[in-house]
Amino acid sequence: MIVSKRNSLRLAAVATFSALVLGAAGTAMAAAPAVPGASAPAASAVPAASAGITAKPSVTSVQAWRLFRVAGTTTGLKAGSAVTLQQKQHGTWVTLPASVHTTRNGSYSLGVKLGIKGLNELRIISGNTASPVFTVTVR
């Protein structure tokens, strides 16, 4: 999809507003990690495929609404799987409208613009698999 600079700013503003509304409403879906100590008989009876996601931002600090990239690789996921960016807002993981499909070898590169100033906790998810949390400071 080709997006002009003007439309990308509009899209980024709408994306941030949408993320804030979803976060405030508490209706965002997030992949929750397993609760320690909880028993899961089905999972223990059948060994799960080892899936994983790595994520590395191109910067650790960026000005508001400036483009940066998050790149990484996936293992145990089907080629072409969608990976999506999530941001922690008020203690809840909010899914942002920033998504891309993995390549044949499981890699991805996602362009991101953030507008919420301060330290942003982020992660990449695909289904129930999530990357380790990484941070980007928006100035």
Side-chain angles (χ1 to χ4, degrees):
M1 174 164 109
I2 299 174
V3 179
S4 70
K5 186 172 185 174
R6 181 178 180 183
N7 283 340
S8 68
L9 289 174
R10 185 180 298 139
L11 180 62
V14 169
T16 302
F17 178 74
S18 299
L20 290 172
V21 169
L22 285 174
T27 59
M29 295 178 57
V35 178
S39 62
S44 62
V46 178
S50 178
I53 302 175
T54 65
K56 182 172 174 143
S58 60
V59 296
T60 56
S61 180
V62 68
Q63 289 183 343
W65 304 116
R66 294 286 180 178
L67 181 68
F68 67 95
R69 299 204 80 71
V70 177
T73 57
T74 62
T75 54
L77 297 177
K78 185 178 177 181
S81 296
V83 293
T84 305
L85 181 68
Q86 284 190 331
Q87 180 182 47
K88 199 164 204 179
Q89 296 178 5
H90 307 290
T92 303
W93 285 107
V94 176
T95 301
L96 300 180
S99 182
V100 70
H101 293 277
T102 61
T103 63
R104 280 189 237 171
N105 66 0
S107 64
Y108 68 91
S109 180
L110 177 66
V112 179
K113 290 182 181 182
L114 297 174
I116 299 176
K117 293 188 177 184
L119 187 67
N120 286 267
E121 290 183 272
L122 305 165
R123 69 181 182 180
I124 299 291
I125 64 157
S126 181
N128 291 328
T129 305
S131 73
V133 175
F134 59 95
T135 59
V136 173
T137 302
V138 177
R139 313 184 292 279

